[in-house]
Every structure is written in C-alpha cells, then in structure tokens.
Amino acid sequence: SRAVDVVQDGSATFTVGGSPGVFYVLVRGVGESTGPFTVGASALDVYVEALPAPASDPGGPSGSPGRSTSEGAIAGDQPVAVIPLDVPAGTGVAIEVLPDAAFDPVLEVISPDGATETIDFGGDGVPEFATKWVGGLYELRITGFQGSTGSFQIGTSAFETAERLGEEPVGGSIDSEFDSMAFEFEGSGGLAGINVAPSGLLDPVLLIVDPAGATTLRDMAGEDPESIVFATEPGRYQLVVAGYGDTTGTFELAVTAPEVASLNVSTQVAGSIPNPGNVAVYEVATDGSELAVTVVPSGGLDALVEVADEPLFFALSEEQGGVIEGTIGPREEGTVVLVVSGIWGATG
C-alpha cells in the first residue's frame, strides 16, 4: 500500500496496476478535516517509446557508461508518462530525470516484483536520480506534483563494471548533463571517508548505494573539494558521480579511513579545518542520554556539523559563521561520531 497526500482544494493523479487484480482506494480526511470529494479511475494508455538500458561503453574506462535518452511532456490531456525500461541482469542502471524549470515532476519506479519507489523532485529544475542493480523489466511513471505540467528529459546510464576505489585518488570526467560514472568500494562496518575534488565547472552530485540497495543523494559543495564521513555496513557500496544541472568537468575521488579523535562529555577541545575539503572527526562515548553539542567557529569558518555513526549521515546543524548548538536524542549506550567540516570550502 502507499499514501497520496492531496492538499486542501487540490487534486492528485496517481497510477496503479501493471498486473491483473482488484485494487482498493481508501479516502480519509487529514486530522479532523471533513467534506465532499470526487474520485474516478480510467484505463491508462499513455506508454511512450521504451527507453532501453544501454550497455557500458566498451571503448571507455571501467565504469564509463553507455547512455540512452528520451523526452516527454505532462499536460492536462496526458497526466502520466509511462516508460518501460529493460535492465539487463548484472548491469547497474542510473536513471536521471531533468525537468524544465516550470515543471515539478514525480517519478515512480515500479520494479519487476511490483515494488514501487516514489521520488518527489521538489520543483527546482534539478535532476534527480534512482539506481537499479537487479535485472528485469521496470516501469517508469512520471506525473506532475499537484497538477504541475511541463516537459522533461529522461536518461539512463548503464554500468557493467565499476572501478574499485581506495585511498589513492581515481580520476574521472563528466562531459554532459546526462553523463555519470560509477565506482565501488567495500564497506567494513566502520567509518568511511569519501573525498571528492572537482575541477573545471563541475558541481558534483554523489549517489551512494549501500549493500541493501538503499540510496542517498549528496549534493557536494559546488566547485570546492569536499569530504563526507559516514558509517558503513559490511558489503559492496556503489558510488555514482554526476554533475548538478548541466555542469561538467573532471574530478578525483578516493575512499579513506578517517582519523578519529576522542571527545569526552562535558569537555571541550580545539580543532581546525586547515584546507578546503578537510574534516575533523570526533567520537563521543554516551550512556544513552541526550547530548548537547556546541561548536564555536572562528577564523572565517562557516561550519557544518553532522552525526556520522548512522547507516548514512544526517546533518545536526550548519551555520554561516555563528555558534552552532544542537542536540542528539537519546540512543543506545555506545558512541556518537561527530564530523565538522567547512561549507563551500571554508577553513578555520
């Protein structure tokens, strides 16, 4: 089952099906809201030309993708675009949708087993990604959020192999708006640091795929070097690098084991971010109580503080040059890992 939130006095169009059967639609009011409504269903016949998953480019480096692109539009008389995508077994495929600036699309990816992944793009004209590593026939459904209409481009990049990452930097390039490169590394169950150093006009976007197939999209800090630290699970991680919007250029990428300093509760330590892209990592022992964290930047540092000992990172707080204060909720007894970095290459 899945839920579709319809805003007050608004409307929503969504699709179900793909196989014969009976579907139930339950309508209820949010909170205590009441009132009349209309609901209808109609047969869907809006398939567009299938978008084949291309094979990797045999003439390019390891991880260099083959590509396939198409375009379409959502209008009042065609509220849904449905695109079949055949993913070959043993091939990873990155799916990217680039909407026009006025269009706020929603992408549904229906897997061969019927599971549905929904991605809301946010309506900012920025590309969004999904990755699939299991072969079979997928169905991509594009609709407009709350009746939004407009045009879009959709592209796929396929990877039969991905270059192995280590502590030595590996180079790559993004040459077009649908270009991307795939890499992989082994998660150890400990912390991993991903270091990205772009050049040219590239504003990199990094997609992290964990061993279970869950994805997290990280928009890196413009054209400045950046490092991110997060806790890994044992197994293979996939990293897909692309450009934000239509930015292009080259980059270097490496995965390292970050140095970790100890920080005791009720004490304070001095630290520094000496170079763009550097991070400071601290491990705090906790008895399970809520923790209050204070970071006082100086020397022009615009700081970002993240909690890294999660399956994937999340931001505690960020501040433009001011004091950062935040809390970490109660958790099991153990350790909390804090990562301090500079925003947009800031140091201090």
Side-chain angles (χ1 to χ4, degrees):
S1 65
R2 59 192 173 98
V4 178
D5 185 12
V6 184
V7 298
Q8 188 173 9
D9 298 326
S11 64
T13 300
F14 59 95
T15 58
V16 296
S19 59
V22 178
F23 295 84
Y24 296 90
V25 179
L26 171 65
V27 181
R28 64 178 179 84
V30 177
E32 298 181 352
S33 65
T34 60
F37 64 88
T38 59
V39 62
S42 58
L44 187 65
D45 187 19
V46 293
Y47 274 81
V48 300
E49 182 178 354
L51 181 65
S56 296
D57 180 3
S62 176
S64 177
R67 302 175 190 89
S68 181
T69 60
S70 184
E71 59 185 27
I74 299 299
D77 59 347
Q78 182 170 318
V80 183
V82 182
I83 304 167
L85 174 63
D86 191 9
V87 177
T91 299
V93 175
I95 305 162
E96 181 180 13
V97 178
L98 181 64
D100 66 36
F103 181 39
D104 184 0
V106 175
L107 172 66
E108 289 182 291
V109 182
I110 295 89
S111 301
D113 61 2
T116 300
E117 176 186 6
T118 302
I119 302 174
D120 182 6
F121 287 65
D124 51 8
V126 176
E128 188 73 59
F129 294 86
T131 57
K132 295 300 159 192
W133 303 92
V134 178
L137 183 61
Y138 288 78
E139 194 172 279
L140 313 179
R141 301 177 182 177
I142 299 177
T143 59
F145 181 72
Q146 296 183 5
S148 173
T149 60
S151 60
F152 62 88
Q153 292 180 298
I154 184 169
T156 61
S157 299
F159 307 92
E160 291 180 351
T161 59
E163 187 160 358
R164 198 75 156 178
L165 289 175
E167 295 193 0
E168 290 297 322
V170 173
S173 65
I174 303 298
D175 301 319
S176 68
E177 62 185 4
F178 280 117
D179 203 358
S180 55
M181 292 192 69
F183 303 86
E184 66 179 34
F185 73 94
E186 285 294 320
S188 63
L191 295 176
I194 299 177
N195 308 318
V196 183
S199 58
L201 298 177
L202 179 64
D203 182 357
V205 177
L206 182 65
L207 184 72
I208 304 170
V209 187
D210 72 13
T215 60
T216 296
L217 186 68
R218 176 75 174 226
D219 183 10
M220 310 303 280
E223 301 166 18
D224 297 299
E226 185 174 358
S227 298
I228 56 177
V229 176
F230 61 95
T232 65
E233 301 289 338
R236 186 183 70 166
Y237 279 76
Q238 299 282 348
L239 306 177
V240 179
V241 181
Y244 181 92
D246 58 358
T247 64
T248 59
T250 60
F251 64 89
E252 288 190 337
L253 184 68
V255 174
T256 62
E259 295 184 5
V260 182
S262 296
L263 177 63
N264 297 323
V265 175
S266 301
T267 62
Q268 60 183 14
V269 296
S272 67
I273 307 296
N275 301 302
N278 288 170
V279 295
V281 185
Y282 301 94
E283 186 177 71
V284 185
T286 173
D287 60 4
S289 303
E290 184 177 74
L291 293 178
V293 179
T294 302
V295 178
V296 183
S298 61
L301 176 63
D302 290 337
L304 169 68
V305 182
E306 295 177 293
V307 182
D309 61 327
E310 299 289 336
L312 281 173
F313 46 79
F314 67 92
L316 173 65
S317 178
E318 71 177 65
E319 188 70 31
Q320 299 292 323
V323 174
I324 296 175
E325 294 181 317
T327 58
I328 302 173
R331 57 177 61 199
E332 294 182 3
E333 182 177 349
T335 59
V336 175
V337 178
L338 301 177
V339 181
V340 182
S341 59
I343 303 172
W344 298 103
T347 61

